[in-house]
Each structure stands twice: as C-alpha cells, then as structure tokens.
Amino acid sequence: MSRRLWVVWLLVGGLAAASHPLLPGMSWAASAAYEGLGFGSVIMILLGVRWHRPARPGVWHLLAAGMALWALGDVIYGLIYRQRGTVPFPSVTDVFYLGAYVPIAIGLWRLLRAHGRDKAGLIDAGITASGAGLLFWVFVVQPLAEARGVPFLDRGLALASPMADVILLVLLARLLTGRVRRTPSYWLLVASTLLMCVADVGFTVLATRSALPAGLIQAGWLASYAALGAAALHPSMRTLTEPAGPAGSSLSRGRLAVLAVSSLIAPALLLAQGLAGVERMDWLAIGAVAAVLFLLVVVRMGGLVAQVQTQADQLSDLAMRDDLTGLPNRRLLEEMIRQELGRGGHPQVAFIDLDDFKGINDGLGHAVGDQLLAAVGRRLTGVLRPGDRVARLGGDEFAVLMPDTGPAAADALVGELAAALEQPVYAGEHHLLVQAGIGVADAEGTRDPFEVLRRADVAMYAAKESKTRQERFRPEFDQRASEHARLGAQLREALDKGQFQLVYQPIVALPRGELAGVEALIRWHHPELGFMSPADFIPVAERNGQIVELGAWILLEACSQAAAWLAELGPAAPGKVSVNVSARQLAEPDFAEVVAAVLAATGLPAERLAIEVTETAVFGGGRAIEALDAVHRLGVRIALDDFGTGHSSLGLLQTCPVDILKVDKSFVDNVTMAGRHSVIATALINVSDGLNLDAIAEGVETAEQAAELYRLGYRYAQGYHFGRPTPNPRFALEPAAA
C-alpha cells in the first residue's frame, strides 16, 4: 500500500483541485477540502520520510514546515472570513503565507546543495531566472508598485509574494539545470513549485486587475499541495538528494532552447513595447537585465570553451597513450624524438621486441598476454633514468628514448633492460620467462624521428638473427635488410615457379647401417644466384611469414614422396620420413589440421611421419605444445632436434609429447676422445633409454664415431658417414626392423 499511496493521493488531490472551482466560495465543503488537502500534504510528506528514509530527511522536513505554515494560513483565513464576512489586507494570514516561502526556499536550496557545486548549472539558472524575473517585473511587480491609491505598506506586502516567487523560480531554474536525478519524485516536486508560482502570480494579477476567477487560482494551489505530497510518497524520493553524475557544462537541445529564449526576452520586450507605441518604456529594467544576461552568457560560453579545450586536451592525451599500459604510444614517441632533435639533442632509441608473444597469447589467452605486456611496461619503466621514456609501439613492441645519451651509456642501459626482462614475469597465475631482441640506434646524420626508429628496428632484427639479443645499428644492416626484402620477394617467386627441391638424408640403424628412415631437407637453386643455403633464406621466410606456406609445401612434398616409395618398394622403403617444422608454423591455429589433411591427401600412414622441432620452438609452451599434442594424437611421431643445446632440455621432456631425441652434432664430434668428451653423450642415451625414447645421433662423420656411439648404447645415427642429402637416394640395404 505504501508504494501505491502516492497514486491514490495524487488522484484525490487532482480531483479536489478540479472540483474546487465548482463549489460555492468559502462554503464549509470548500474550506474542508481546501484545508484538508493542505494538512494532508504535510502528513504525506512525513509519511514518505518515515517509509523511504532518504539520506537527507531535513530537505523534506523543511518542505513539510512550509506546507504546514501555508495550511495554517488557510485555516486562519477561513476563520476570519466566517467571523467578519471578509478578510482585510494586510492581515495575520499574510504572516503565515509569506513565512511559508522561507522553509520551502531553504529546503530547495539544501536539495541543490546536496548535489554539489555545478558552476555551469548555476549560470544557466541565472540566465533563466533573469529572463523570468524581467517578465515578472514588467507584468506583475511594476504595475503593482505603481498602483495608485494603495498605501505604501499594502504595496510592500503585495510585492513580497511575487518577489518570493522570483526566488522560487531561481531555485526552480537551478533545479531544472542541475544534476538532480530525473525521477518521478523530481518531476512532481518541479510541478508543485511551478504550480505554486503560477497560482501566486495569478493571485497578484487578480488583486490588481480582477482579471482571473479566484476558483482557478485556488485550484492551482491545491494541485501544488497534491503534487508535493505525492513527490514525498513516491519511492524515488529516497534518491532525490543523490547526485546523478559528475558536474559538467554539456548543453542538451532542450537546455539550449531554454537559454536561448531566456536571453531573447529582453530584446523581445523592448521590440514589443516599441511596436505597441508604449509611451513609457521600461528601458532601465530591460537594459539592466539585458546587460546581466549578456555577461552571464559570456561567462557561460567561456566555461563551455574551457571545457571543450580541456576535453580536447584529454582526447589528445588519450590519442597519444597506449590503452593497455598507459605508456606513450608510437605517435607520442615520434613527437618526443622530434622535439629532442629540434632542440639539437642527441637521443638514443632502443627498440624492444618480445619473443614468442603470439604463442603466449594463443596458449594462455589474451587476458594473460595483456597482463604480461602491462608487467613488461612496468619492468622497463623501473630501469629507466630520470628523463628517459618508455613507449609501447603496438603488439609486443616497446621502445625506450634516452635523451642526450652517449653510445656507451645507452648500451649499458640497454644491458640493464635486457637483464630486467630475463627475470620471471608474473601474469595472472602464470610465472613466465620472456626474452627479447633489442636494437639501439642514434640520430647521427638525420633529423627525422621515423629514420631513428627505423634504424633501431633494423638493429633489433639483426639482434634476433645473431642470437646476441642486443645490437647497435650499423650501416651494413641496411644492406642486409635490403637483401632480405629482395630475398623475400624472390622467395615468393620461387614458391610460385617451383624452384624449391627436397633432398633426403638417410637415418640408419647401428651397427650395420640399415635404413630406418630419411630426413627431408629443402634446397633452393636460384636461377641467377645458384645454390642458396637454407641458413640464408629460412630466417627470411620466418620473419615475413612465408615459412608457413613453404612449410606446408615441404610437408606435402615429403609425404607424397614417402607414399610413392612405400607403394613402389614396399618393405624396402624408408620406415619414416622426418620433416622439420618451425615455431612460426606451430603458432598457426590450424597446424594439426594441415598435417591431417596432408596425410589424407597423400595416403601416407601417420606412423610413417615424424615432425622435427627444435627446443627453442617449444620452449615457451602454450600454443606450440598444444599443436604437437594434436599432431601426436594423429599417430605422428615427434622428434626434438638438436637436443641438449636449448634452454631447458630435460624440462621439455615432461611437457612436450616426445618420441625421438636427436642428439646434437656438438656432442658427437669428440665422442671418440677419452675423458669428459663422451660423458654428455652417455648421459643422453641413458635419459632416452630411461624414458623409452629413440635416440638418434646427428652429424656422424666417421666409422670410429659410429662404433663408439654403438658401444655407448645408441642404435640410430645420421650423418655424412652414412650418406649425404640427395633428391634420389638409393635404398640398397634392407630396412631396419625397428
């Protein structure tokens, strides 16, 4: 019932207000309805406060006090009328009526104060109130002030009510332009205040000109009472004193229209009086208000311009910042470098690119990747000196600007940056190790910030290729970069024209050397440059992404050849074909599907294919391990190539689905020498046997090495001693049983 009482009360009050003009003036029924609605409104306000418990009940208590004074004035007015048949002016009732404005005005003012300071809203209220006040002056106050035959005291009391209404209108305008929540309670309170002011103006006009029927004016007051009581009863009154949002000077269309109309009231009145031929124009009042309006509009526009400028500055700052890390972005970094160069400075720039970030993103999710980037940004910032700036250029690329820094100092700082990145980084629940390639460049011979960044970028790629992790730009890097770009274009042409060829090196079983399998290796016979080593073009293909397409071709070609040998030679065919796969291929989300499609297309049994990966390709885990797991479930065997030379070889055996260990040539070269030279080779075969893995010794070049490896326990080997890579190998020996 408490939630619906406001509707009942509003309907009762509306019915009373609508029917009041139909009742005989000053009858007992009219007085009872009139005074009952007044005191009923007070009770409704107090009930609303009790039920809804607003944060600032004092606002509503003040409104109830004003309503009570107004109702008491009505009661006394009725008593005097019934005793004398008329009510003199002024009388004791005017004390109650005028006194009611005080708590009501204070209540509205405290309501506005509860929403904080809003300079723009205050100015807008001043503009609106100035225009409305001018209308009051011209049509209400001035005629009453100039009325002849009215005693001075009577005129003063008569003017007090419209002046109080002006104050209420100012507060109402402030309420309409403020940050008050636009709830039903808010609109009912606005309606109550507006109805009260309109009725007061009507009463003043009636008192001076007898132009309006008293019943309609009293109906306006009654409607005001009903609306105020309903405002307090509505549940939304609880939040009326809570701010609706941050202060601002935004202009809605409706608000702008009100301000425009208010600003035009002064010139419109002046024009209207001139066209009507009024003998005594109110030029002083109109001119004064026009001046006030002009100043308020200027101040308002100044505030709006200041806000627009502030927002523009904020947008500019946002446009120059990275959303994820809050660091300067590429545009801001370029501007900072430009400023350094413009003042004659000698900046150094370090370009930082994280390794295998895509694998982390794919394997652990973008949320972890984002946390990693934010942590790296903080880690880099913590190393910098005063004046240095770190920026995120996009993706997993960062840059550090070192103003007025010499080469030695810059290289030392870059060493600290690299060391900081080698420490574990915590991202969510994950403990990650990241590495990066860092290129350093200065501005020698240029004043172009883009050129400085380009040099650092080129040096970073050189650092990654050389595995040094840190390189300073040298002019020959540009030549190498140009060669790589040209080589990339030629790679595209070679793929399209079929210039690549696969060769196959045998993998044999010890001690007799029976054929156990072959490893497929790519060769490129350039029509102009001749033989191109894979060491020259594979890194280029990995950098520009062509390794994915090239790797798919190698896989298809090798499986097709293996299937053909199997169909032609039967048991004499190689037992397995091994294909090398890069980290870039493993990062592709459909790698396992590509392998499955190749096996299906060629008809090669999955157990006759081995995928070879280096330890560095799967060191970061994540997507690479998931891809190998999916391939392993197809029945394809997984081989770790160059085993023993990577980051954490033994640890990989716990996470990677390994079937074969290919022991690096560096452990085979000196295996025939006494002492410590054979210790690692011995340890690796023991690990393989303990984990039930096949071990293949790579790079075997002599019979003595083969014999010693067999003595140590190796049963498979590969190297020039058993055969060089060739496009058409001859399978003379019977295949091994393993």
mmCIF file of all heavy atoms in Angstrom, residues 47 151 181 195 221 398 459 491 545 610 703:
data_model
loop_
_atom_site.group_PDB
_atom_site.id
_atom_site.type_symbol
_atom_site.label_atom_id
_atom_site.label_comp_id
_atom_site.label_asym_id
_atom_site.label_seq_id
_atom_site.Cartn_x
_atom_site.Cartn_y
_atom_site.Cartn_z
ATOM 1 N N LEU A 47 4.973 10.940 6.214
ATOM 2 C CA LEU A 47 4.882 9.502 5.971
ATOM 3 C C LEU A 47 5.947 9.035 4.972
ATOM 4 O O LEU A 47 6.568 7.980 5.140
ATOM 5 C CB LEU A 47 3.489 9.143 5.451
ATOM 6 C CG LEU A 47 2.361 9.039 6.478
ATOM 7 C CD1 LEU A 47 1.032 8.768 5.774
ATOM 8 C CD2 LEU A 47 2.657 7.939 7.499
ATOM 9 N N PRO A 151 -1.944 52.096 -0.173
ATOM 10 C CA PRO A 151 -0.958 52.517 0.826
ATOM 11 C C PRO A 151 0.396 51.836 0.610
ATOM 12 O O PRO A 151 0.486 50.720 0.070
ATOM 13 C CB PRO A 151 -1.595 52.095 2.152
ATOM 14 C CG PRO A 151 -3.050 52.008 1.863
ATOM 15 C CD PRO A 151 -3.160 51.549 0.438
ATOM 16 N N ARG A 181 18.648 13.724 -10.039
ATOM 17 C CA ARG A 181 18.126 12.554 -10.756
ATOM 18 C C ARG A 181 16.723 12.841 -11.264
ATOM 19 O O ARG A 181 15.856 13.269 -10.497
ATOM 20 C CB ARG A 181 18.111 11.333 -9.840
ATOM 21 C CG ARG A 181 19.494 10.882 -9.407
ATOM 22 C CD ARG A 181 19.401 9.693 -8.472
ATOM 23 N NE ARG A 181 20.713 9.299 -8.000
ATOM 24 C CZ ARG A 181 21.524 8.443 -8.624
ATOM 25 N NH1 ARG A 181 21.110 7.880 -9.735
ATOM 26 N NH2 ARG A 181 22.713 8.151 -8.141
ATOM 27 N N LEU A 195 3.463 25.132 -10.053
ATOM 28 C CA LEU A 195 2.045 25.436 -9.822
ATOM 29 C C LEU A 195 1.883 26.503 -8.740
ATOM 30 O O LEU A 195 1.018 27.392 -8.848
ATOM 31 C CB LEU A 195 1.302 24.156 -9.418
ATOM 32 C CG LEU A 195 1.018 23.160 -10.541
ATOM 33 C CD1 LEU A 195 0.561 21.823 -9.967
ATOM 34 C CD2 LEU A 195 -0.034 23.717 -11.502
ATOM 35 N N TRP A 221 -3.236 26.215 -6.364
ATOM 36 C CA TRP A 221 -2.592 25.942 -5.082
ATOM 37 C C TRP A 221 -2.871 24.509 -4.618
ATOM 38 O O TRP A 221 -1.990 23.828 -4.115
ATOM 39 C CB TRP A 221 -3.091 26.943 -4.032
ATOM 40 C CG TRP A 221 -2.416 28.282 -4.130
ATOM 41 C CD1 TRP A 221 -1.127 28.522 -4.426
ATOM 42 C CD2 TRP A 221 -3.029 29.551 -3.936
ATOM 43 N NE1 TRP A 221 -0.864 29.872 -4.434
ATOM 44 C CE2 TRP A 221 -2.022 30.539 -4.119
ATOM 45 C CE3 TRP A 221 -4.328 29.972 -3.620
ATOM 46 C CZ2 TRP A 221 -2.266 31.903 -4.003
ATOM 47 C CZ3 TRP A 221 -4.560 31.348 -3.486
ATOM 48 C CH2 TRP A 221 -3.543 32.297 -3.688
ATOM 49 N N PHE A 398 58.144 -2.521 -27.833
ATOM 50 C CA PHE A 398 58.347 -1.373 -26.965
ATOM 51 C C PHE A 398 59.556 -0.589 -27.477
ATOM 52 O O PHE A 398 60.359 -1.091 -28.268
ATOM 53 C CB PHE A 398 58.604 -1.811 -25.515
ATOM 54 C CG PHE A 398 57.431 -2.477 -24.851
ATOM 55 C CD1 PHE A 398 57.171 -3.829 -25.063
ATOM 56 C CD2 PHE A 398 56.587 -1.769 -24.013
ATOM 57 C CE1 PHE A 398 56.088 -4.450 -24.454
ATOM 58 C CE2 PHE A 398 55.502 -2.379 -23.400
ATOM 59 C CZ PHE A 398 55.259 -3.718 -23.621
ATOM 60 N N ALA A 459 68.127 -2.796 -36.310
ATOM 61 C CA ALA A 459 69.115 -3.358 -35.387
ATOM 62 C C ALA A 459 68.491 -4.459 -34.528
ATOM 63 O O ALA A 459 69.152 -5.445 -34.182
ATOM 64 C CB ALA A 459 69.692 -2.254 -34.506
ATOM 65 N N LEU A 491 61.637 -15.238 -52.810
ATOM 66 C CA LEU A 491 61.026 -16.429 -52.217
ATOM 67 C C LEU A 491 59.602 -16.623 -52.738
ATOM 68 O O LEU A 491 59.180 -17.746 -53.048
ATOM 69 C CB LEU A 491 61.001 -16.307 -50.694
ATOM 70 C CG LEU A 491 62.265 -16.717 -49.936
ATOM 71 C CD1 LEU A 491 62.138 -16.344 -48.466
ATOM 72 C CD2 LEU A 491 62.497 -18.212 -50.070
ATOM 73 N N GLY A 545 56.798 -14.457 -42.661
ATOM 74 C CA GLY A 545 55.640 -15.333 -42.582
ATOM 75 C C GLY A 545 55.515 -16.338 -43.709
ATOM 76 O O GLY A 545 54.617 -17.196 -43.683
ATOM 77 N N ALA A 610 57.375 -38.279 -39.099
ATOM 78 C CA ALA A 610 57.917 -37.698 -37.863
ATOM 79 C C ALA A 610 58.057 -36.190 -38.063
ATOM 80 O O ALA A 610 58.545 -35.734 -39.104
ATOM 81 C CB ALA A 610 59.261 -38.318 -37.501
ATOM 82 N N ALA A 703 83.650 -43.794 -39.131
ATOM 83 C CA ALA A 703 83.286 -45.119 -38.642
ATOM 84 C C ALA A 703 83.597 -45.258 -37.168
ATOM 85 O O ALA A 703 82.893 -45.969 -36.432
ATOM 86 C CB ALA A 703 84.034 -46.188 -39.451
#
